Amino acid sequence: MEKNGMDPPPAYMQQPPPLMPPSYSQAMAGSIPLNPYTPVEPFQNGPRIMTTVVPLGPEQTRMICPHCQTDIYTTRKVKPKPAAYLSCALIFMFGCFLGCCLIPFCMNSCRSVSHSCPNCGRHLGKYLGNE
Ligand SMILES: [Zn+2]
């Protein structure tokens, strides 16, 4: 069994290169707002999973975990911020010691919420409320 170069060369080797768009010097001569030629980046090593940056709020957030690429709802851990303790002390000094000083611990803006992934357990981000 010998092949004596009977295989034709691949078809794409014979095709002329695609027509190039007008050169940039021509295109830039007039101010053209839209560039008709947008270069397309080829995929490298298969499809890439794009993880969108989701702004983390005080509630559970649906996102794609950047660590394990799983569609998850974040697991929250709510902790009062140091500002909450400070507000507590201030309210206490103003005389509202009958439980009012606990108000900052009930406000979203005084709590920090840590989001983590329920699948891999990694930390995903933190919501710090409104400063
Ligand atoms: Zn994960």
Side-chain angles (χ1 to χ4, degrees):
M1 290 284 288
E2 276 190 37
K3 283 188 177 180
N4 296 324
M6 292 297 287
D7 291 331
Y12 62 84
M13 295 291 287
Q14 294 176 330
Q15 288 179 352
L19 289 175
M20 295 300 289
S23 67
Y24 272 98
S25 58
Q26 283 179 308
M28 297 302 282
S31 61
I32 300 173
L34 290 176
N35 187 357
Y37 179 69
T38 51
V40 178
E41 292 185 11
F43 280 110
Q44 297 174 351
N45 300 327
R48 284 186 301 175
I49 297 174
M50 298 297 292
T51 53
T52 52
V53 177
V54 180
L56 293 169
E59 304 301 327
Q60 274 192 322
T61 307
R62 187 183 178 185
M63 65 183 294
I64 298 200
C65 175
H67 304 291
C68 61
Q69 275 79 42
T70 308
D71 196 353
I72 47 105
Y73 283 94
T74 59
T75 304
R76 300 183 311 145
K77 276 182 191 166
V78 182
K79 284 190 297 187
K81 290 196 296 186
Y85 295 103
L86 189 66
S87 304
C88 174
L90 283 173
I91 292 174
F92 189 79
M93 285 195 304
F94 279 107
C96 299
F97 48 85
L98 295 174
C100 295
C101 61
L102 297 177
I103 287 175
F105 294 100
C106 303
M107 292 165 55
N108 266 342
S109 60
C110 286
R111 287 184 293 178
S112 67
V113 182
S114 312
H115 292 269
S116 58
C117 171
N119 191 45
C120 66
R122 298 278 197 94
H123 178 72
L124 297 175
K126 192 180 272 190
Y127 170 76
L128 291 175
N130 303 315
E131 291 285 351

